[in-house]
Each structure stands twice: as structure tokens, then as C-alpha cells.
Amino acid sequence: MTTTVTPAGASLDAASRPARLRIAGDWTLANYAVLKQRTTALSGQYDGDTVVELEQLGKLDTAGAALLVELLGAERLGQLAQSSPSLSAADRALLQTVYCSLQDYCIPVRQADVPVLMQLLSRIGRAVDKLWQDTLQVLGFIGLIIATLLQRLFQPKRWRLTSVVAHIEQTGLDAAPIVALLTFLVGAVVAFLGATVLSSFGASVFTVDLVAFSFLREFGVLLTAILMAGRTASAFTAQIGSMKANEEIDAIRTLGLSPLELLVIPRVLALLIALPLLTFLAMICGIVGGGVVCALALDISPAMFLSLLDSDIGVQHFLVGMLKAPFFAFLIAAIGCLEGLKVSGSAESVGAHTTSAVVQSIFVVIVLDAIAALFFMEMGW
């Protein structure tokens, strides 16, 4: 089936008084090129007194309506759409729609270019504000956890021992091999570096003290906490975040249960138990790794290694390292659970908050470890 297209055009009769502008033919996309040339040629040759005749207008589409706007102007076209008796209802509605669209349209105002320095300062300001807001949220969440723990301390019927034991297995027992392997290798590396540097001073024997001091006071708890921040905090965020995305948290609240008591407290208690145990394991494995290097590279026998440990290393160094473990465990668990509860409801949100939990946990652990190191140094412990 073929469609006949009537040639279109526009002519100006300047001899008549007043002048007349006659619109004829099909003002459609098929005639767009011809009509564009004609409207350009007629531009500026008529004024507001010119009578516009639409009796010979054929078909009309949006392309033709746009050309009529260009030819007549939006205001004149709006008047014709309301008053011209020769227009069909469909054409009148089309012209009226185009007119209203042009009335509502406004050219976007281009924003002024912001200097690079101002953009940098603005981003720094937003980052500092976000850090402050996150800090307030973490502190508030820690307060809620402590308040809930104190409320449930004397209510044994509400203790969720099965959940705590399951999380201890997940966070502690399953993480023991990687913690042991990593600290063993780091202990060997520290001993090797110490032997390399101290041998030039004839003090290779002090490699034993270097390994023991570093792992009992710092490396044991710090490496374990960083591993837990990457492994456990992300797991807590992903688990609780998935429940939040699936509206399971809302279901728990609907049943009259507390998500904090049901999901957060068992994870916090589990990590409070697991992290000190893993820290002790990390200390032992790090010292064993250093002892292996001392035995192979420095000819320091295991008996001599243990004798030097007994004579040079006091128990306070062990206590300093173990004292930091519960604080790190509490903060890692709190941050991981809080980020999980902040998930909005999409897979992308789960991934973003999981990443945020790992970054925040590692940052907090390193900052607190540095503060603790300065404090214990000033105290002479």
C-alpha cells in the first residue's frame, strides 16, 4: 500500500492588504527538506498583521509543526491552534501540544565554572563531614551494643549460645590456618631481616629479642586484627546486608524480636572470644617462624632461643599485646554489623558497604594500635 504525499509549500501575497501567508500541502517529514528551504526564504518578510491562511493545509506531523513554529513563532501558532476553523481536531491538538511544550521549555542555565582549588576544598570538606558522621554512627552503635549486653547479662534465658558457638567456629576456628601460616611467614621474614641488619654489628643474637618483642607487642595482634577486619567484618556486613536487602530484618522486627539482640550481639561475643585466641596463636606462630630462621641461618638452637626468650622478654610484653585484642575485636564486629544494617536493598549497596566495612575496620585498628603504642611507651610498659 503506497501513501500519496501532497507537495507542500508556503507563499506570501504581499500585494493584498493586509498581506496573506498561505500554507498549503502536507507539512510532514517527507517534505521537510523543501519546507525547510521555503521557511528560511520567507523569514523576516511578514509581520504580525499578516493573515495566515491554513485552509489548504493537508497532513501535519511533529516535523511540520516544528517548521510552522520556526515560520510563525510560538505565540502566533498558539493563537492559530485556538482560533483557526479550518484545522481538524487532531491538527489543533498537535499544534496546541507543541505550543505548550515550547512554553514550558527553558534553556538550561550553564553553571559557572568552579575553580579547581574550590572543588578540591569542597571534596575535602565532604570527606571530613562524612568521616565525622560515620564516627558518630559508630559511637552510637557501640553504645547500643553495650546497653543491650548489660540488659541481657542477668537474663540467661535470652542468651543465644548456639549462635555464639557457630560464629566462634566461623570467625575463629576457620580462620586459624590462615592466621598461623601468615604469622609464621612474617616471623620468618622479620627474623631474616633482623639477622641481615644486626649481623653487620655483630649482634645477630638480638634477632631473638626483635622477633619476640615485635610479635608479642605488635605484630601478633595487629596482623590478626587486620585479617579479621578483611575476613570477618566483610562476612558480617555481607550476611546482615543480604538479610536487609531481602527484608528479613523487617520480618524480624515484625515478629517482635530485636535485630540487635538476634544478629549483632552473638557476632560481637563470638569475635570477642575468637580474636584473643587467634592473637595468642599468631604470637606463637610468629615466634616459631623466627626461631626456625634463627636455627637455620644463625645457628641459634631451639634451647638457646627459648633461654633467651626467658631471660630477656618479660610477661608484660605478652599482656600488652593481649590487652589490645578485645578492643580490636569489639570494634571490628561493631563496624561490620553496622555497615550491614546500613545496606539499602540492592546488590550494589551490599558490595559498597562490605568494602566500607573492611576499610573502616582496618583504619580503626591501625589508628588505635598507634595510639596504644604511644600510650604504653609513655607509661613505660
Side-chain angles (χ1 to χ4, degrees):
M1 180 178 179
T2 58
T3 303
T4 304
V5 178
T6 304
S11 59
L12 179 64
D13 185 3
S16 60
R17 291 292 181 268
R20 295 180 176 274
L21 178 64
R22 296 184 178 87
I23 307 299
D26 295 342
W27 284 62
T28 59
L29 185 61
N31 294 326
Y32 186 86
V34 176
L35 292 173
K36 180 66 176 177
Q37 295 177 357
R38 188 57 182 160
T39 54
T40 303
L42 290 174
S43 179
Q45 298 185 17
Y46 52 91
D47 53 23
D49 296 330
T50 302
V51 178
V52 179
E53 298 180 354
L54 300 176
E55 286 79 4
Q56 300 180 16
L57 178 64
K59 298 177 182 179
L60 182 67
D61 61 8
T62 52
L67 289 173
L68 285 176
V69 170
E70 183 179 337
L71 179 65
L72 303 176
E75 292 294 334
R76 188 70 179 275
L77 188 66
Q79 296 174 2
L80 291 173
Q82 295 178 353
S83 60
S84 179
S86 59
L87 288 176
S88 64
D91 292 344
R92 183 177 287 107
L94 176 60
L95 293 178
Q96 190 67 33
T97 302
V98 172
Y99 170 71
C100 293
S101 304
L102 292 173
Q103 290 295 106
D104 295 338
Y105 174 76
C106 60
I107 299 175
V109 179
R110 185 175 182 270
Q111 296 182 353
D113 294 334
V114 181
V116 176
L117 179 60
M118 294 302 298
Q119 294 183 25
L120 178 61
L121 293 176
S122 176
R123 292 190 64 177
I124 293 174
R126 287 195 296 268
V128 171
D129 180 67
K130 185 177 185 303
L131 177 62
W132 175 247
Q133 297 299 327
D134 290 343
T135 302
L136 292 180
Q137 288 183 343
V138 170
L139 292 176
F141 193 65
I142 289 173
L144 287 176
I145 294 175
I146 294 175
T148 305
L149 283 172
L150 294 177
Q151 290 174 1
R152 303 293 177 258
L153 184 61
F154 302 104
Q155 299 177 1
K157 291 184 179 180
R158 304 191 69 167
W159 295 355
R160 302 185 180 277
L161 297 179
T162 303
S163 179
V164 173
V165 172
H167 287 300
I168 290 175
E169 178 185 5
Q170 175 192 356
T171 61
L173 187 60
D174 293 346
I178 185 64
V179 171
L181 177 61
L182 179 66
T183 52
F184 177 86
L185 296 175
V186 173
V189 171
V190 171
F192 179 76
L193 292 176
T196 303
V197 175
L198 294 174
S199 61
S200 60
F201 302 97
S204 300
V205 69
F206 290 106
T207 302
V208 177
D209 295 349
L210 174 63
V211 172
F213 270 106
S214 61
F215 270 89
L216 290 179
R217 295 183 68 94
E218 296 294 336
F219 283 170
V221 63
L222 186 60
L223 290 174
T224 304
I226 290 175
L227 279 174
M228 290 298 100
R231 183 182 184 276
T232 304
S234 60
F236 288 173
T237 303
Q239 291 166 358
I240 297 177
S242 298
M243 296 179 68
K244 184 75 179 294
N246 294 329
E247 299 183 355
E248 296 177 38
I249 304 295
D250 297 333
I252 290 174
R253 291 194 179 98
T254 302
L255 293 174
L257 301 174
S258 170
L260 192 69
E261 181 182 348
L262 190 67
L263 302 175
V264 177
I265 299 300
R267 288 173 166 82
V268 172
L269 293 177
L271 201 57
L272 280 172
I273 297 171
L275 188 56
L277 296 177
L278 290 174
T279 299
F280 179 76
L281 175 64
M283 292 176 178
I284 298 299
C285 292
I287 293 173
V288 169
V292 170
V293 172
C294 289
L296 297 178
L298 303 177
D299 293 329
I300 299 177
S301 64
M304 184 179 178
F305 188 89
L306 293 175
S307 177
L308 290 171
L309 283 179
D310 183 49
S311 61
D312 296 345
I313 307 301
V315 70
Q316 72 271 16
H317 303 298
F318 169 75
L319 295 178
V320 165
M322 292 300 297
L323 182 63
K324 294 185 283 187
F327 293 97
F328 290 168
F330 187 85
L331 289 172
I332 290 170
I335 291 173
C337 294
L338 175 61
E339 290 298 316
L341 292 172
K342 288 164 64 177
V343 170
S344 60
S346 63
E348 182 182 0
S349 178
V350 174
H353 284 286
T354 300
T355 303
S356 177
V358 174
V359 173
Q360 289 185 45
S361 300
I362 294 176
F363 175 79
V364 168
V365 163
I366 293 176
V367 170
L368 287 184
D369 185 73
I371 295 174
L374 295 175
F375 173 77
F376 291 133
M377 182 181 67
E378 292 295 329
M379 297 297 294
W381 294 350

